[in-house]
Amino acid sequence: MRREALSRVELLQGTLDLLILRTLLAGPAHGHAVAKHIQRTSEDLLQVETGSLYPALHRLEAKGWIAPSWDLSEKGKRARFYRLTPLGRKQLTAERSKWEAFSRAMTLVLNPADQGTQ
Amino acid sequence: MNSFFRKLRWLTRRSGKEAELKEELQFHLEEEAKQRQEDGLTEDKARWAARRELGNLLVVEENTRAAWGWTRLEQLAFDAGYGLRQVRRNPAFSAIAIATLALGIGGIAAMFSAVDAVLIRPLPYGDADRLVMLWDDFTGEGRSGHMPAPAEWLEWRRHNVVFTDIAATQPGDATLSGDSEPEQVPARKATASLWSVLGVSPLIGRVFTEEEDEKGVRVAVISHGLWQRRYGGAPDVLGRKISVNDSPYEVIGVMPREFFFMPARDIDLWIPASFPAAMKTNFSWHDAQVVARLKPGVTLERAQESMAALSRQVTAKDFRGPHAVVVKPLREEMAGKTQTALIVLLCASAALLLIACVNLANLLMSRSTTRGREVALRTALGAERGRLVAQFLTESLVLAVLGAVAGLVLAMPAMRFLETLVPETMGRVRLVLDWRVLAFCSGVAMVATLIFGLAPALRGSRLAPQKGLREGGRGTAGARSHWLQHSLIVIETALAVVLLTSGGLLLQTFQQLRNTDLGIRSEKLLTFETPLFRYRDFDRRVAFVNAQLEQIRAIPGVVNAGAISRIPLTAGDQATFYLLAGQSRDNISRRQVALTRVVTRDYFHTIGARLREGRFFEIFDRRSESPVAIVNESFADRNFPGRSPLGARLKFGNLNEKGYWYTITGVVKEIRDRGVTEELKPTIYRLHEQANQSGDQPSGIVVRTAVEPAAIVSAVRQAIWSVDKNQPLWRVRTLEDIVDGQLSTPTQSTTLLSVFALLALLLASLGLYGVLSYAVTQRVNEIGVRMALGARSSEIPLHFGKRGLALTLTGLIIGLALAAIATRSMTSLLYGFRPEYVLTVTAVSFILLVVAALACFVPARRASRVDPVIALRSE
């Protein structure tokens, strides 16, 4: 049986795009691999719903941040692979710094005591 | 742009993409299944788990497609196609829907084109919104918009701080002669500032300068119409000397075709005002129209305040005492009463459209319940609510667009009719379906779609699938749906009542206007004008006027002929002060003014005037130092209340020692000298040959005929030319033409509003009929059960009849309350009449109830004919 995560984190609005872009930074991957990668790396805390994964992939494609190509999977089946475009790379940097600023801000607000000791 | 092309490219590869998406999702399912198998599930269970994890495959596909873009547009096209098929599948329903909408949209489109032409479209002047007109505020004398005198506005021009400049024009109709047949043309004297104030320039040549105006140089600017008509559009008209009132004037410019300015669209000649010095300090010569341009940043209110203060200062020397001024936007001045008429009619057409929409909403709602099964099925198959709403709205939009197209076709003849509603003070307008009307129409169609489509769409899409399917396709509707449909019926009935009441009031007013006692027998009365500037000498004038009348009377078919200084009913507010015997010149009241008219002996007999007391002018009223005068009833009642004015003596116009003392010898019953719809004023009539008093001349001729007046026009011309072959005559029309012209705005607004009101009544009763018969259809089973249980067949129709009556009465009460508010905004269209509200309200209520009873009767009767056996079998 698959291990059910004890506590699963709801994906924040808009973070799926960032996760997909980051995952594709490692190299081209098909949709299923992207989902599994996010799930694994987040230690099963993040579960990507298929219902939102494919619309997201196609949306990013429409924006020109990722590009598709048909290739053979590890098991020799035809699959649609996505890779990061230069435009997507730029977008990733931007989104990432935005997210880092946001998360820093959240930490600062949630742990105000730290500030005193610094 | 880039993404646009990307989308476009995708669109072309559409079918390929569909296949790819299917393959991609299939691959995902297989991968997932494989993984689950590796985790220990059997092949079957793994596949099912993967499938479950993915969720509704169709929805995922749909959502993914949405990410491609364009899908909204595709959906729209698809839904529109579906909508069109629906239209064809239900021809009866569609025809009613489209016809209803066509009436609503057509009406409002036609009204909009007129409102646009008169009230919205920019006037042909530079920055026309900054132009205002200035009038004397004689509220103390019961007149607020009076023409200013030169002594006033010359000072205003010098000292004001709110206008960039001020210009004035004065009447100055002119006879053109010499180069071809004598022709009388409407002309205006104008200050040179007119052109810069209006911000206009001539088509060719130039306009006159301040210096030319000052020095009295004889130059003329002519209209495009006159240039084409009289000078064949020749460019060498510039520099040509033309004879204006027997004085040579040089043509220096031609205005563009679209140029016009107050007070009428057909002014052909503009010449410098060139006031003589004496005029410039004159406080009593009130005949100028003054236009001014607001300085940038100055508001109307500020100008009003500043000018009122300035005017009080300027008029401190005026014998009338200081008074304020009225500053009015030029547009408002030009649109006049038409403005209210147009706005009322636009509101009426909007109300009609609203009724049409409400009606259609009800129809669609009835239909949406019968479409419940379709909706339930689609919901069960995963259609989202938003998607269904969008589909229903698109179908409504299809109807609205078809309705709008049909409406525009209806609007075209209506626009021809509305063209005549454009006021005389504005340029001739041809109302056309231009992009403004089309844009307005598209907007209206869209708004209408929301109004009539939204409620049915929301309602129709809410149906729970299990319920809809369980009902096995029979229409259902809960209590809520009745509530909504009933309110809609009440709304449309109320709107129809508002329109009917307003229409009824206008109709009454119109009736009263038509029945106004003019003091004249108006049938078979020909009128025209013969300018007498060439007869400045008293004796020559008397001889000429009498001779031409003699010639006219000799024409076969002519009963009588007379002359007066102003053709009756054609306004002219030229009032003068008068002095009664015994009064001192120094303490006459500012209100002691009367209209004066100079007439020939046969004038009163010719127009068919009646006497209250005394006598008309007689053959023995010869030239005399103690002439006689006839006054009207207003004059007698004001100055001699309760006693006879006969024998009383008065002076007017010239109040000093040299002025004649006139003896009142008759009181004539009121003649509507100022116009059909205008209020009566005290008037004094004198005989032209009795005393040489300067001022008015008997240039207006009235001819009573036994035959059709049009038949003798050329004979009349010949008769006059036999006395003086250079005598121009113009403004030839019958008195009935004059009356019709003055009643054209009330005639048209009454006709249009009545049409709107009747259509509203028709639509509202159709709506009531529709809802009731729908209710009967829906409750056939219930009726069947009741009848099977012994309800008498008379109780059933009573039940439905009662409901219809309750709805109608509610609508009637709300409508009458709304009408009371609405009619307050149209008081200016009632021309000071106080129509019988009770009569109108009673009539409207009666008509509405009768029509509603008919609308209820048919469905109610159908209910009573329900055969319980058949009704129950359908269960």
Side-chain angles (χ1 to χ4, degrees):
Chain A
M1 281 294 284
R2 251 170 90 248
R3 183 171 59 91
E4 283 294 317
L6 284 174
S7 62
R8 188 170 288 160
V9 183
E10 287 277 317
L11 267 182
L12 279 175
Q13 194 81 38
T15 47
L16 181 58
D17 289 8
L18 176 57
L19 292 176
I20 293 173
L21 291 177
R22 176 63 187 86
T23 307
L24 292 180
L25 189 62
H30 52 70
H32 189 257
V34 170
K36 290 301 140 192
H37 180 265
I38 293 173
Q39 199 174 326
R40 249 193 330 271
T41 340
S42 69
E43 296 172 350
D44 278 353
L45 277 173
L46 296 177
Q47 173 94 4
V48 181
E49 299 282 340
T50 323
S52 43
L53 172 68
Y54 285 92
L57 283 169
H58 284 247
R59 193 170 56 242
L60 295 179
E61 183 189 339
K63 284 179 175 159
W65 295 342
I66 61 177
S69 59
W70 288 93
D71 215 330
L72 293 181
S73 73
E74 315 92 76
K75 286 151 198 150
K77 292 213 82 176
R78 219 169 86 92
R80 202 168 196 250
F81 278 74
Y82 296 91
R83 78 189 141 70
L84 212 53
T85 65
L87 201 62
R89 220 172 275 272
K90 233 181 275 172
Q91 183 63 24
L92 173 60
T93 323
E95 294 268 318
R96 191 177 191 161
S97 52
K98 240 197 287 176
W99 173 258
E100 271 159 8
F102 175 70
S103 106
R104 194 178 118 77
M106 285 295 288
T107 319
L108 284 178
V109 175
L110 293 178
N111 307 313
D114 293 357
Q115 238 171 0
T117 59
Q118 269 171 3
Chain B
M1 225 38 217
N2 208 354
S3 77
F4 177 79
F5 283 116
R6 200 162 34 238
K7 283 179 177 176
L8 205 63
R9 211 167 55 231
W10 274 6
L11 198 63
T12 57
R13 293 191 287 135
R14 186 73 208 237
S15 59
K17 279 202 69 76
E18 286 283 348
E20 280 189 10
L21 177 60
K22 282 211 160 44
E23 190 178 344
E24 187 176 18
L25 289 175
Q26 193 54 44
F27 173 79
H28 179 100
L29 282 176
E30 281 168 21
E31 279 295 290
E32 185 69 30
K34 226 172 276 171
Q35 195 166 4
R36 299 209 173 204
Q37 240 173 311
E38 280 163 19
D39 282 353
L41 288 183
T42 63
E43 193 186 329
D44 242 22
K45 278 193 176 154
R47 186 166 297 146
W48 274 112
R51 192 68 183 73
R52 253 203 319 278
E53 192 264 347
L54 184 70
N56 187 334
L57 191 62
L58 285 174
V59 172
V60 174
E61 279 180 13
E62 181 87 7
N63 286 344
T64 310
R65 260 184 240 121
W68 298 348
W70 292 102
T71 44
R72 262 169 222 284
L73 220 58
E74 280 173 348
Q75 271 174 19
L76 188 71
F78 178 80
D79 290 345
Y82 189 72
L84 275 174
R85 279 202 300 282
Q86 290 275 351
V87 166
R88 260 178 309 182
R89 227 175 49 191
N90 305 311
F93 172 85
S94 310
I96 291 175
I98 292 171
T100 310
L101 277 171
L103 284 177
I105 296 181
I108 204 169
M111 279 322 302
F112 171 77
S113 73
V115 168
D116 181 42
V118 178
L119 299 179
I120 301 177
R121 212 171 286 220
L123 294 165
Y125 315 113
D127 213 358
D129 292 339
R130 310 292 299 159
L131 292 174
V132 293
M133 294 200 73
L134 309 180
W135 305 98
D136 273 338
D137 184 3
F138 289 155
T139 320
E141 294 174 27
R143 287 176 287 180
S144 66
H146 200 275
M147 286 184 276
E152 294 173 325
W153 64 263
L154 281 169
E155 291 296 298
W156 298 343
R157 190 176 177 197
R158 213 163 291 145
H159 298 298
N160 85 80
V161 289
V162 289
F163 301 124
T164 59
D165 205 351
I166 289 178
T169 69
Q170 283 182 295
D173 293 343
T175 306
L176 298 179
S177 56
D179 40 7
S180 54
E181 267 191 29
E183 182 183 358
Q184 184 75 11
V185 295
R188 276 315 262 187
K189 295 183 203 155
T191 57
S193 52
L194 179 69
W195 316 106
S196 59
V197 167
L198 293 185
V200 291
S201 40
L203 181 68
I204 56 169
R206 60 180 183 89
V207 291
F208 42 83
T209 62
E210 205 73 44
E211 202 191 341
E212 283 170 319
D213 183 13
E214 199 66 39
K215 289 185 177 160
V217 181
R218 287 177 172 162
V219 288
V221 174
I222 65 174
S223 74
H224 192 272
L226 181 67
W227 181 44
Q228 295 293 327
R229 189 173 73 236
R230 195 171 169 97
Y231 305 106
D236 67 350
V237 73
L238 297 180
R240 203 182 281 187
K241 287 267 195 267
I242 59 172
S243 168
V244 177
N245 294 343
D246 284 354
S247 305
Y249 275 76
E250 182 188 338
V251 177
I252 56 168
V254 177
M255 293 309 288
R257 181 197 299 274
E258 62 276 7
F259 176 77
F260 64 84
F261 187 60
M262 294 274 281
R265 62 168 71 124
D266 59 354
I267 291 165
D268 277 331
L269 196 69
W270 303 85
I271 56 177
S274 305
F275 290 108
M279 273 282 257
K280 294 186 179 175
T281 54
N282 189 323
F283 270 113
S284 54
W285 200 258
H286 290 265
D287 74 340
Q289 292 198 346
V290 177
V291 60
R293 178 174 288 278
L294 291 170
K295 272 188 184 157
V298 174
T299 62
L300 194 67
E301 293 72 33
R302 162 107 197 278
Q304 174 72 61
E305 267 168 44
S306 164
M307 284 308 293
L310 175 61
S311 172
R312 285 210 182 83
Q313 205 178 314
V314 167
T315 52
K317 292 169 285 196
D318 188 348
F319 61 96
R320 289 169 185 261
H323 51 81
V325 282
V326 184
V327 181
K328 233 175 159 188
L330 178 63
R331 164 89 70 179
E332 213 177 299
E333 204 63 64
M334 285 186 160
K337 270 206 164 73
T338 313
Q339 183 164 357
T340 321
L342 282 176
I343 290 172
V344 165
L345 288 173
L346 187 69
C347 291
S349 64
L352 182 65
L353 177 62
L354 202 55
I355 291 175
C357 286
V358 167
N359 232 351
L360 207 53
N362 255 335
L363 270 178
L364 283 174
M365 235 178 296
S366 306
R367 196 175 67 152
S368 77
T369 31
T370 59
R371 276 176 74 178
R373 195 178 158 81
E374 176 195 335
V375 172
L377 198 61
R378 294 186 52 179
T379 311
L381 292 178
E384 282 175 30
R385 176 128 187 254
R387 184 70 190 77
L388 283 172
V389 171
Q391 187 206 327
F392 280 131
L393 276 182
T394 312
E395 286 178 35
S396 298
L397 186 64
V398 169
L399 285 177
V401 168
L402 291 175
V405 171
L408 286 175
V409 174
L410 283 183
M412 296 222 260
M415 280 154 75
R416 290 291 82 74
F417 181 72
L418 281 168
E419 270 164 12
T420 47
L421 212 101
V422 176
E424 278 291 312
T425 44
M426 299 190 76
R428 219 171 285 281
V429 177
R430 184 152 175 83
L431 299 178
V432 284
L433 282 182
D434 54 6
W435 66 268
R436 296 165 72 103
V437 179
L438 291 178
F440 176 81
C441 245
S442 329
V444 165
M446 231 114 53
V447 172
T449 306
L450 282 182
I451 296 176
F452 74 75
L454 202 56
L458 289 177
R459 261 268 309 283
S461 62
R462 206 179 44 212
L463 217 61
Q466 62 277 27
K467 192 172 171 231
L469 290 174
R470 193 176 52 222
E471 290 284 346
R474 222 163 16 78
T476 56
R480 251 184 90 100
S481 79
H482 285 310
W483 182 83
L484 191 57
Q485 288 192 316
H486 289 177
S487 342
L488 289 180
I489 287 296
V490 169
I491 291 174
E492 63 178 336
T493 312
L495 283 171
V497 168
V498 173
L499 286 188
L500 281 172
T501 312
S502 322
L505 292 180
L506 275 196
L507 208 61
Q508 270 192 50
T509 305
F510 179 68
Q511 206 83 46
Q512 270 169 312
L513 283 178
R514 269 283 164 205
N515 293 340
T516 304
D517 183 3
L518 302 175
I520 290 177
R521 279 192 293 119
S522 56
E523 67 284 356
K524 292 190 180 164
L525 194 60
L526 183 71
T527 76
F528 57 91
E529 286 170 44
T530 55
L532 292 171
F533 68 92
R534 293 160 65 249
Y535 293 93
R536 295 196 200 283
D537 176 65
F538 175 73
D539 292 316
R540 279 190 61 220
R541 183 166 65 236
V542 169
F544 170 72
V545 170
N546 287 343
Q548 70 170 2
L549 290 176
E550 218 38 64
Q551 290 297 322
I552 293 169
R553 283 189 205 108
I555 299 170
V558 170
V559 177
N560 205 344
I564 181 170
S565 45
R566 278 164 203 279
I567 300 288
L569 306 178
T570 59
D573 250 343
Q574 221 78 310
T576 51
F577 286 93
Y578 59 84
L579 186 68
L580 295 171
Q583 275 185 322
S584 152
R585 248 186 89 190
D586 303 320
N587 62 13
I588 58 171
S589 118
R590 279 163 51 184
R591 282 170 167 276
Q592 195 165 324
V593 290
L595 304 179
T596 59
R597 299 283 188 265
V598 54
V599 302
T600 62
R601 195 171 286 124
D602 282 306
Y603 170 73
F604 289 114
H605 302 294
T606 305
I607 62 167
R610 288 153 295 155
L611 271 177
R612 186 168 89 180
E613 54 183 315
R615 61 172 178 88
F616 285 135
F617 296 122
E618 294 294 347
I619 195 80
F620 48 82
D621 292 323
R622 294 175 190 281
R623 182 152 192 184
S624 156
E625 290 302 307
S626 51
V628 293
I630 291 175
V631 296
N632 68 350
E633 293 177 291
S634 302
F635 189 96
D637 294 344
R638 176 184 292 179
N639 295 295
F640 308 94
R643 56 204 162 97
S644 168
L646 295 185
R649 301 206 308 151
L650 77 158
K651 280 187 177 189
F652 57 89
N654 190 357
L655 302 186
N656 58 28
E657 293 72 36
K658 287 185 202 156
Y660 292 104
W661 280 107
Y662 287 83
T663 307
I664 298 176
T665 177
V667 178
V668 66
K669 293 210 168 184
E670 304 289 12
I671 296 168
R672 293 260 156 191
D673 266 318
R674 299 172 67 243
V676 184
T677 62
E678 304 295 326
E679 160 194 13
L680 294 161
K681 289 265 169 88
T683 311
I684 305 167
Y685 301 88
R686 67 183 176 91
L687 186 56
H688 81 126
E689 55 191 72
Q690 219 180 1
N692 182 10
Q693 176 161 342
S694 62
D696 303 335
Q697 297 167 353
S699 55
I701 312 286
V702 289
V703 184
R704 169 77 58 197
T705 62
V707 296
E708 259 316 298
I712 59 148
V713 172
S714 65
V716 167
R717 273 180 214 277
Q718 294 310 321
I720 290 174
W721 288 341
S722 73
V723 182
D724 176 353
K725 68 172 170 46
N726 284 323
Q727 177 59 50
L729 96 192
W730 73 320
R731 289 198 179 135
V732 182
R733 48 203 171 150
T734 64
L735 201 82
E736 281 173 334
D737 291 342
I738 296 173
V739 172
D740 286 347
Q742 291 185 2
L743 293 185
S744 77
T745 299
T747 308
Q748 274 148 348
S749 38
T750 306
T751 313
L752 280 174
L753 197 59
S754 307
V755 169
F756 285 147
L758 288 179
L759 287 175
L761 178 66
L762 182 74
L763 289 182
S765 49
L766 273 180
L768 185 62
Y769 167 79
V771 164
L772 284 185
S773 49
Y774 173 69
V776 171
T777 313
Q778 262 194 330
R779 294 174 59 183
V780 160
N781 305 57
E782 184 194 321
I783 297 167
V785 173
R786 281 190 189 198
M787 291 180 97
L789 292 178
R792 256 169 301 159
S793 61
S794 64
E795 281 168 8
I796 303 292
L798 212 60
H799 171 77
F800 286 99
K802 255 193 247 162
R803 188 202 290 183
L805 198 70
L807 291 177
T808 311
L809 279 177
T810 316
L812 180 66
I813 290 164
I814 296 176
L816 288 177
L818 286 178
I821 300 167
T823 48
R824 215 172 286 168
S825 67
M826 45 184 261
T827 42
S828 84
L829 295 181
L830 303 181
Y831 294 90
F833 286 117
R834 300 188 55 89
E836 308 257 346
Y837 279 85
V838 180
L839 183 73
T840 305
V841 165
T842 315
V844 166
S845 311
F846 179 73
I847 294 172
L848 187 77
L849 289 176
V850 167
V851 172
L854 272 177
C856 296
F857 176 73
V858 181
R861 209 167 81 113
R862 203 152 56 84
S864 72
R865 299 259 170 101
V866 166
D867 182 341
V869 179
I870 295 173
L872 291 175
R873 194 182 292 152
S874 78
E875 181 69 8

